[in-house]
């Protein structure tokens, strides 16, 4: 019996050519995601500018308080106590169990809290001996010191461009110191001792910031750390507070004290909100402008000549020096951002 040949396989039916997908156009500016992103960016800019404004006014308000006769320790204690109550209330409202960190705080957090206390006291002691603009310019040494600490502690590298920024800032510091020495309203001894104390306060802040960075890298929430950073100085300084400093304070001075406490609480609160919404380098660049805000406010108030305004002479060289300091520090921060990209 003969076998039949196998039937031929059916031919595939022709298919219509598939058109390539159209090129992706620009995203719809009205899409919910882009609108949310734009809103978050605006909020971030608001919080960063708010921090710069608060810190720009802080030196003036503290100088007004010390010129009124309130001692340094009571002012610093009041700022920490006010901020601790505010942060503790916020953290408790969010999650009551988060206050348990006070029962067993990390040892490094305790060290950081002591360093922050030294920074607050050193800055205010130096401010009491000098002027608001002088203190605001010199304290800009702190981020430069932190950059140097990062080289050794976090194995970061400083590029030539960042080195140029450091050099420009150092020239600005030198010019500003020369301009203040020319001011007849300030004694040389007070200026020298005040400057040295502020530099010490800047060094304490740089070490505090490095310790805080290590703690955050370990996974501890920044607000939980703030509870420790405010609670420890509140307890440490309590025996040193001269309570008579709060007796007989005028209503206007109580407003200044409340502003100092709220400034500390809101300044760091705004800073945290800004970091959530913007890159760290953008926030840092905006905050670096706070010495220029101090200079601008002092300059704007001079024609009004209010009785409470502290004397603070700044010449043309001083304004140029301030721009060099802020520009140099900003240059370092900008190129630190560029290197990480």
């Amino acid at each position: 019996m003969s076998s039949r040949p196998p039937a031929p396989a059916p031919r595939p039916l022709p298919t219509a050519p598939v058109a390539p997908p159209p090129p992706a156009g620009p995203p719809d500016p009205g899409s919910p995601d882009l609108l949310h992103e734009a809103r978050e960016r605006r909020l971030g800019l608001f919080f960063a500018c708010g921090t710069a404004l608060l810190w720009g006014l802080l030196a003036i308000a503290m100088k007004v308080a010390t010129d009124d006769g309130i001692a340094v320790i009571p002012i610093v204690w009041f700022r920490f106590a006010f901020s601790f109550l505010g942060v503790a209330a916020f953290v408790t409202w969010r999650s009551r169990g988060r206050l348990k960190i006070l029962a067993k705080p990390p040892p490094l957090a305790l060290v950081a809290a002591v360093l922050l206390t030294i920074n607050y006291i050193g800055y205010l002691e130096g401010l009491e001996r000098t002027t608001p603009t002088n203190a605001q310019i010199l304290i800009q040494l702190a981020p430069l010191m932190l950059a140097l600490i990062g080289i050794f502690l976090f194995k970061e590298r400083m590029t030539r461009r960042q080195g140029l920024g450091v050099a420009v800032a150092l020239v600005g510091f030198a010019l500003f110191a020369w301009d203040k020495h020319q001011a007849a309203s300030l004694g040389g001894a007070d200026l020298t001792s005040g400057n040295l104390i502020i530099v010490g306060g800047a060094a304490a802040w740089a070490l505090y910031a490095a310790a805080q960075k290590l703690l955050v890298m370990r996974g501890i929430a920044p607000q939980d750390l703030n509870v420790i950073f405010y609670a420890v100085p509140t307890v440490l300084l309590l025996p040193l507070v001269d309570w008579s400093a709060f007796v007989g304070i005028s209503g206007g001075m109580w407003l200044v004290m409340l502003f100092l406490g709220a400034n500390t609480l809101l300044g760091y609160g705004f800073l945290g909100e800004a970091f959530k919404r913007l890159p760290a380098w953008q926030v840092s660049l905006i905050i670096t402008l706070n010495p220029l805000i101090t200079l601008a406010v002092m300059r704007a108030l001079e024609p009004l000549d209010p009785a409470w305004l502290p004397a603070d002479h700044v010449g043309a060289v001083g304004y140029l020096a301030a721009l060099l300091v802020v520009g140099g520090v900003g240059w370092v921060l900008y190129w630190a951002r560029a290197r990480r990209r």
Side-chain angles (χ1 to χ4, degrees), residues 162 281 285 328-339 341:
Q162 288 178 289
W281 69 271
L285 282 178
V329 174
W331 186 262
V332 172
L333 294 172
Y334 177 82
W335 286 108
R337 162 255 182 184
R339 191 185 68 238
R341 288 183 64 176

Side-chain angles (χ1 to χ4, degrees), residues 271-282:
L271 182 64
E273 294 298 323
F275 276 130
K276 288 181 183 178
R277 294 168 170 84
L278 293 177
W281 69 271
Q282 289 186 6

Side-chain angles (χ1 to χ4, degrees), residues 186-275:
L186 200 61
D190 282 345
L191 180 63
T192 301
S193 62
N195 285 347
L196 290 175
I197 294 173
I198 293 172
V199 170
W205 184 89
L207 292 171
Y208 148 79
Q212 184 188 38
K213 182 173 181 177
L214 288 172
L215 290 164
V216 171
M217 289 169 63
R218 296 177 185 176
I220 305 177
Q223 290 298 340
D224 293 348
L225 290 175
N226 283 340
V227 171
I228 301 173
F229 295 157
Y230 297 150
V232 171
T234 301
V235 175
L236 284 180
L237 298 178
L238 193 60
L240 305 177
V241 176
D242 180 9
W243 299 104
S244 63
F246 299 108
V247 178
I249 296 181
S250 65
M253 193 49 57
W254 270 117
L255 290 177
V256 172
M257 293 294 292
L258 290 173
F259 173 78
L260 292 177
N263 190 299
T264 305
L265 178 63
L266 293 177
Y268 281 97
F270 282 10
L271 182 64
E273 294 298 323
F275 276 130

Side-chain angles (χ1 to χ4, degrees), residues 11-309:
R11 294 181 180 180
L13 296 175
T15 57
V18 179
D28 181 11
S31 66
D33 289 343
L34 287 183
L35 289 175
H36 175 75
E37 182 180 344
R39 183 173 64 251
E40 288 295 294
R41 176 172 175 77
R42 287 195 298 269
L43 280 174
L45 290 172
F46 168 79
F47 285 123
C49 293
T51 302
L53 177 62
L54 287 171
W55 288 358
L57 299 174
L58 180 61
I60 301 173
M62 288 196 294
K63 185 64 174 178
V64 169
T66 56
D67 284 354
D68 195 64
I70 305 178
V72 168
I73 296 298
I75 294 175
V76 173
W77 177 85
F78 185 87
R79 291 179 64 195
F80 276 123
F82 187 100
S83 301
F84 169 68
L85 292 176
V87 170
F90 175 78
V91 169
T92 303
W93 173 67
R94 294 292 297 272
S95 177
R96 188 170 301 177
R98 290 171 65 178
L99 286 180
K100 292 180 180 179
I101 194 170
L102 291 174
K104 192 176 181 182
L108 184 58
L110 297 178
V111 174
V114 172
L115 290 168
L116 186 62
T117 307
I118 295 172
N119 165 255
Y120 272 48
I121 295 175
Y123 179 79
L124 189 50
E125 286 280 1
L127 174 63
E128 187 180 26
R129 289 167 169 79
T130 61
T131 65
T133 54
N134 182 80
Q136 286 288 75
I137 293 298
L138 270 188
I139 203 65
Q140 297 305 308
L141 280 168
L144 293 183
M145 293 178 179
L146 180 59
L148 295 176
I149 291 174
I151 295 174
F152 298 102
L153 185 60
F154 302 111
K155 307 303 180 183
E156 298 174 351
R157 291 190 343 176
M158 179 172 289
T159 65
R160 292 181 179 178
R161 286 169 173 163
Q162 288 178 289
L164 176 62
V166 171
V168 170
L170 291 177
V171 171
F173 286 126
L175 284 177
F176 196 85
W178 179 85
D179 181 75
K180 298 305 289 185
H181 272 291
Q182 305 306 308
S185 61
L186 200 61
D190 282 345
L191 180 63
T192 301
S193 62
N195 285 347
L196 290 175
I197 294 173
I198 293 172
V199 170
W205 184 89
L207 292 171
Y208 148 79
Q212 184 188 38
K213 182 173 181 177
L214 288 172
L215 290 164
V216 171
M217 289 169 63
R218 296 177 185 176
I220 305 177
Q223 290 298 340
D224 293 348
L225 290 175
N226 283 340
V227 171
I228 301 173
F229 295 157
Y230 297 150
V232 171
T234 301
V235 175
L236 284 180
L237 298 178
L238 193 60
L240 305 177
V241 176
D242 180 9
W243 299 104
S244 63
F246 299 108
V247 178
I249 296 181
S250 65
M253 193 49 57
W254 270 117
L255 290 177
V256 172
M257 293 294 292
L258 290 173
F259 173 78
L260 292 177
N263 190 299
T264 305
L265 178 63
L266 293 177
Y268 281 97
F270 282 10
L271 182 64
E273 294 298 323
F275 276 130
K276 288 181 183 178
R277 294 168 170 84
L278 293 177
W281 69 271
Q282 289 186 6
V283 178
S284 300
L285 282 178
I286 294 172
I287 293 173
T288 303
L289 300 176
N290 74 80
L292 299 183
I293 295 175
T294 304
L295 282 167
V297 172
M298 293 293 292
R299 184 69 173 177
L301 291 174
E302 278 181 5
L304 304 176
D305 195 24
W308 48 266
L309 184 67

